[in-house]
Structure formats: C-alpha cells, structure tokens
Amino acid sequence: MSIQSNISLQPYNTFGIDAIAKQFLSIESISTLQKTIQDLQSSNQSVFILGGGSNILLKNDISALVLKMDLKGKSIFKKEENNIWVKAKAGENWHDFVLWTLQQNYYGLENLSLIPGTVGASPIQNIGAYGVELKDVFESLEAVHLQTGEIKTFNKEACQFGYRDSIFKNKLKGQFCIVSVTFKLSTLPTIRTDYGAIKTQLQVMEIPEKDWTPQAVSDAVIAIRSSKLPNPAEIGNSGSFFKNPEIPLAQFETLKTQFPHIVSYALPNNQFKIPAGWLIEQCGWKGKVVGNTGTYKHQALVLVNHGNATGEEIYNLSTQIIQSVKNKFGIELSREVNVVEC
Ligand code: FAD
Ligand code: EPU
C-alpha cells in the first residue's frame, strides 16, 4: 500500500478526535517498514507508530508520517510440559488474541481480557488489570530500530517494566517499532482471583467454585469492565487518563488525618497507592461536563469526548484536574495517556 495524504484519524483513535494525518501508511510487513525507514533516511521526516489508538490523545494535526501497525499472525514458538510460548505480531487485536489463547487452552492472559488496542502496544505501558500485568506472561519482543531498520530482541529485563511503564516510554521513547511479542503461557488452568472483584463477580454469575476456569475468569473480567468503563464505540475515551499515584508513608499519614476516608492500597517499601479516580471525584469532577468534554459519570478517572471535542480541549481539562487535585491533596497526577503532538 502507498502513502495516503490528509487522512482523518477519527476512526483510528478511541477518543474519536478528528485530527488530520498529513501522511499515513498501513504497515503489513516488516520489509515495508524497513524500506519506509530507508526511504526516510535522507529526509527530516519523523514517524509516529499507531496501534489501535486507545492510549493516545491527539493534541493537534499530525505532521509526522503515521505508520499504522497492521502486521498480522500468531505462531507457537516452543512447547514444554506445562508451558507454551506463543508469538503474535504487533497488529493483532489484543482482546481477540486473548480469546484465541483461551480457545487453544493456553492460559495466563484471561485477567487482561477486553483491554482495547494491539499486541504491539501491550509492552509499551506494561498493560495491567485485575491483578495481572503483561510482564507476568512476557517472554520477549522483537522491534525494528526506526533509524537503522535493524531488528533487535528485548528480553523482560531489557524492557524495564514498571507500573504502566517500560523503557519504551523513557530512554527508548520513539526509537523502536515493536513488530512481535512472545508470551510464555501455561497449559495448566491455574487462575488468579486475588483481585477481589473477580471472586464477587464469579459469585454474581452463579458459577460454582469448582467451575472457576480461566474462561470463567475472562467472562467475569469482561462483565466487570463492561459495567465500569465506557465503550469507546459509544463514548470516546482512552481508559484511565492518569496513573494511580504512589506516595510515601509520611505523606499518607498526614493525608489520612485530614481525609480519614481516603482509599489506599499498601505497597512494598512503605509506599501507598491512592486511586486517582477517588482523588478526582473528591475534587467534584465526577460526571462533570465541560464543553465537549468531561469525566465519565461512573468512573472519574476516565476523561470522555461528549461529541466534537478537540485534543486541546481534553488536554486543558486534564490540566485543570491535575491542578485541583494538587491544590486539595498536594499530589501531582501524571498522565497515563500518551499526548501526541508531532
Ligand atoms: P496506541 O494508543 O495506538 O499507542 C499507544 C502508544 O504506544 C503510542 O505512544 C504509540 O506510538 C505506541 N505504540 C503503539 N504500537 C506500537 C508499536 N508496535 N511499537 C512501538 N510503539 C507503539 N490499559 C491498561 O493497561 N489496562 C487497562 O485495563 C486498560 N483499559 C482500557 C479501557 C479502555 C476503554 C480504553 C479505551 C483503554 C484502556 N487501556 C488500558 C489503555 C490501552 O488499551 C492500552 O494502553 C493499549 O495497550 C494501547 O494499545 P493501542 O494499540 O491502542 O496503542
Ligand atoms: N474510585 C472512586 N471514584 C471513581 C473511580 C474510582 O472513588 O470515580 C475509587 C474506588 O474506591 C475504587 C477505586 O477507586 O474502588 C479503584 O477504582 P477501579 O477499581 O475502577 O480501578 P482504577 O484504579 O480506577 C485501575 C487501572 C485500570 C484497570 C483497573 C482494574 C490505572 C491507572 N487504572 O483502575 O486500567 O483496568 O484498575 O485493574 O491503574 C487503564 O490503564 O486505562 C485502565 C483502565
């Protein structure tokens, strides 16, 4: 496929922002990617890698060449007694991939059901939900260097995974295009229900404990998520807009005296995680409509597009929220969503 000009990115981002890409190219093979990089070497043209557009805020029109990841395919890499290594290409839809692994009786991804986006983006912020993070099932990834076109393999350690974080959001930001990810899955149906809401949901669904299979956990996670989060097909959003902040014990104790009902989760090393949704709700933002934007009525951490919002409007709302949480609690929220202005 050849480069297209002046393409609206509205169908390509879950916020539904109508930003224009000056140049847009669908990448269906590694050789096309490498050739494109080579062609660009003599120019100053920058590139932006686009997956499913479910964790970006397009602040303005994009002058970089947008490379849309459409590499497809999955294969078995290796098998051992209780494990199987599955490799999936970057453009595979994440949730479809999760469902496919469950159909094959490969386990480990069930808690990560219904997360939007692509396989290739999953390591970027080490996606996580319901007690599991990508790093728990990650083996390695292959990525093409955006300057040289060379393919490099990264193991888990090299990715420097953290909470909603990896080396690709820091030191190597914008330098590599992930082309495939290999997962180490289990062939034993061990389930993880330590995240309390899963057990409650399995009970609500009247599934007896002896039938708590990985498929049942996936169904429960899908049900919880569908009740809490807005469906981007109906209301534009990018999931949690901010990360949940982590604060030290001393700061937590001071806040606890001021706000005795503060919600918190104790972490190792005397740190406390405070749900950003709680902080934002306490500042009066939950369900508030601000022009074309606002926060979701059931989840204050999710910023929404009520219609024709621009990226700038959503960005400005996020700045106001950061300011008011800072004023009330002395905590500085940081954005989880990738703000794109290139
Ligand atoms: P994009 O939004 O297209 O890109 C995100 C970033 O990754 C951009 O900087 C982009 O340049 C870069 N990128 C994308 N693909 C590649 C690649 N192949 N190589 C290099 N860089 C790349 N996230 C969670 O962790 N947990 C959740 O529970 C969760 N729930 C969500 C619920 C909703 C309703 C929505 C809308 C989002 C949610 N998210 C969640 C966020 C989002 O689904 C994930 O971050 C997802 O991995 C983004 O994938 P994507 O393909 O859409 O990436
Ligand atoms: N809360 C409020 N008001 C709100 C929203 C939340 O008070 O409006 C409080 C409640 O006390 C609730 C707590 O916050 O119990 C936690 O809320 P929730 O269970 O909805 O989870 P979250 O912390 O808001 C995180 C992730 C989600 C992930 C879920 C489940 C982050 C930034 N977000 O949300 O990930 O799906 O846990 O594991 O870590 C995403 O990254 O885009 C995302 C959706």
Side-chain angles (χ1 to χ4, degrees):
M1 200 195 254
S2 54
I3 294 178
Q4 296 172 272
S5 301
N6 298 322
I7 294 288
S8 168
L9 293 175
Q10 198 163 35
Y12 299 108
N13 73 102
T14 58
F15 257 128
I17 290 165
D18 188 14
I20 304 296
K22 228 172 168 182
Q23 294 186 295
F24 181 97
L25 179 64
S26 162
I27 298 292
E28 293 176 359
S29 71
I30 293 176
S31 55
T32 307
L33 176 63
Q34 288 171 319
K35 175 158 189 324
T36 307
I37 290 166
Q38 203 179 21
D39 291 349
L40 290 177
Q41 257 166 5
S42 54
S43 73
N44 267 339
Q45 176 71 59
S46 57
V47 299
F48 174 71
I49 310 293
L50 177 66
S54 64
N55 207 24
I56 53 171
L57 176 67
L58 299 169
K59 215 173 154 200
N60 40 244
D61 291 342
I62 304 297
S63 54
L65 166 60
V66 174
L67 299 178
K68 162 91 168 53
M69 283 301 105
D70 287 323
L71 298 162
K72 295 284 159 66
K74 40 197 184 288
S75 53
I76 307 301
F77 199 72
K78 185 167 98 175
K79 257 183 189 170
E80 272 175 16
E81 204 185 340
N82 299 327
N83 287 109
I84 186 132
W85 283 258
V86 182
K87 180 171 171 172
K89 296 219 178 126
E92 287 287 334
N93 174 276
W94 175 263
H95 179 58
D96 291 347
F97 176 62
V98 172
L99 295 184
W100 177 83
T101 59
L102 288 171
Q103 278 161 10
Q104 313 302 311
N105 301 324
Y106 307 153
Y107 308 120
L109 300 181
E110 50 281 350
N111 298 51
L112 301 174
S113 296
L114 210 61
I115 297 180
T118 55
V119 165
S122 63
I124 301 285
Q125 70 161 9
N126 176 30
I127 56 168
Y130 298 95
V132 173
E133 286 185 323
L134 177 91
K135 69 172 172 49
D136 302 330
V137 284
F138 178 90
E139 175 73 16
S140 64
L141 64 80
E142 288 173 316
V144 169
H145 193 276
L146 289 169
Q147 292 288 322
T148 64
E150 277 168 41
I151 300 182
K152 187 173 168 187
T153 302
F154 291 77
N155 64 16
K156 196 188 292 193
E157 204 192 343
C159 291
Q160 298 181 9
F161 290 126
Y163 163 60
R164 298 294 189 274
D165 206 16
S166 76
I167 195 165
F168 303 104
K169 285 187 82 174
N170 296 292
K171 202 171 139 204
L172 299 183
K173 190 172 174 177
Q175 290 191 36
F176 281 92
C177 176
I178 296 169
V179 291
S180 72
V181 183
T182 299
F183 302 86
K184 181 183 177 184
L185 303 178
S186 173
T187 48
L188 301 175
T190 320
I191 53 164
R192 275 154 300 178
T193 55
D194 31 320
Y195 204 96
I198 296 182
K199 282 189 187 135
T200 311
Q201 182 62 34
L202 287 164
Q203 282 151 3
V204 169
M205 290 159 75
E206 295 181 359
I207 302 175
E209 202 165 332
K210 67 173 178 42
D211 296 333
W212 286 5
T213 60
Q215 183 61 56
V217 169
S218 169
D219 293 343
V221 167
I222 290 171
I224 304 168
R225 295 182 65 96
S226 306
S227 71
K228 279 194 171 193
L229 293 164
N231 178 352
E234 287 156 17
I235 179 158
N237 75 92
S238 266
S240 302
F241 197 90
F242 304 98
K243 292 188 201 179
N244 287 328
E246 298 173 1
I247 59 171
L249 175 65
Q251 189 181 4
F252 174 69
E253 281 176 340
T254 310
L255 281 174
K256 181 96 183 149
T257 54
Q258 283 175 278
F259 306 98
H261 302 296
I262 189 167
V263 182
S264 65
Y265 309 100
L267 300 171
N269 306 330
N270 275 342
Q271 294 282 113
F272 287 79
K273 188 175 266 195
I274 314 293
W278 185 85
L279 295 167
I280 297 168
E281 180 174 350
Q282 296 302 307
C283 292
W285 289 103
K286 189 168 183 171
K288 207 164 180 172
V289 178
V290 185
N292 294 309
T293 70
T295 69
Y296 187 50
K297 58 184 176 193
H298 301 307
Q299 203 346 330
L301 185 50
V302 178
L303 269 53
V304 294
N305 177 0
H306 283 299
N308 300 311
T310 60
E312 189 88 38
E313 272 179 284
I314 296 172
Y315 185 81
N316 290 343
L317 173 66
S318 72
T319 304
Q320 285 182 57
I321 291 174
I322 292 173
Q323 197 54 56
S324 66
V325 168
K326 179 115 200 250
N327 292 345
K328 190 171 171 106
F329 296 102
I331 294 176
E332 178 120 13
L333 293 180
S334 59
R335 295 180 181 87
E336 182 203 278
V337 167
N338 300 279
V339 178
V340 183
E341 32 187 349
C342 56

